[in-house]
Amino acid sequence: MFRRLIATSPTWIPVPLRLTMAAIFVAHGAQKVLGSFGGPGFEKFLSFPTPFSFMRPSWLWLGAAAFSELIGGILLFLGLLTRVGAFFLACTMLTAVVGVHWPAFFASNQGIEYPLALLAMSLALLISGGGVASVDLALSGGRKR
């Protein structure tokens, strides 16, 4: 199972995608967890409402979202368990698209445009793996999937 999680092909294609998403999600996760970059910080973020009423207790779901962004971004940056990090981020972005930003489309109206793009990029990394310059490739011995 572990070998399937780290399997990737030695290609450069996912690397720019992985590093760009890592920068975005580490920054957003740091805002929510650490209060960096003018963010609310963990305690204040946990007091926000959840997008769906079934998400109870809200602190659990919001904490999972905040840590998914931070840890998922770090995993993507390293290319370590890239598929796991991409899965965390895809779940978070799917919730953002459906529960927070729907039905508006354009980002200027706080619509789904931006989180939908991040969801699509997460799914691409979930499929492809980390590529070259990833810990996943080093752990797999440089073998193709």
Side-chain angles (χ1 to χ4, degrees):
M1 180 66 161
F2 181 71
R3 287 184 185 200
R4 295 184 81 188
L5 281 176
I6 64 169
T8 189
S9 58
T11 178
W12 286 97
I13 294 170
V15 175
L17 187 60
R18 207 182 79 222
L19 296 177
T20 301
M21 288 186 60
I24 291 167
F25 281 107
V26 167
H28 281 269
Q31 283 183 313
K32 293 173 178 99
V33 174
L34 307 172
S36 304
F37 310 112
F42 197 60
E43 190 172 326
K44 186 171 182 182
F45 183 72
L46 292 183
S47 69
F48 294 165
T50 57
F52 298 109
S53 60
F54 68 83
M55 293 180 147
R56 298 288 176 240
S58 64
W59 62 266
L60 177 70
W61 291 95
L62 292 171
F67 278 106
S68 289
E69 289 186 12
L70 183 61
I71 293 169
I74 292 168
L75 290 175
L76 290 188
F77 178 76
L78 297 172
L80 174 63
L81 298 173
T82 303
R83 287 187 170 91
V84 173
F87 177 75
F88 289 164
L89 299 175
C91 291
T92 304
M93 289 300 98
L94 181 61
T95 303
V97 166
V98 176
V100 179
H101 297 278
W102 188 265
F105 179 77
F106 291 104
S108 59
N109 295 331
Q110 296 184 5
I112 65 169
E113 181 180 23
Y114 183 61
L116 185 63
L118 293 173
L119 172 61
M121 290 186 271
S122 297
L123 292 175
L125 288 175
L126 188 61
I127 294 166
S128 73
V132 173
S134 69
V135 175
D136 289 343
L137 187 63
L139 289 175
S140 66
R143 292 173 290 181
K144 287 189 172 187
R145 54 178 163 159

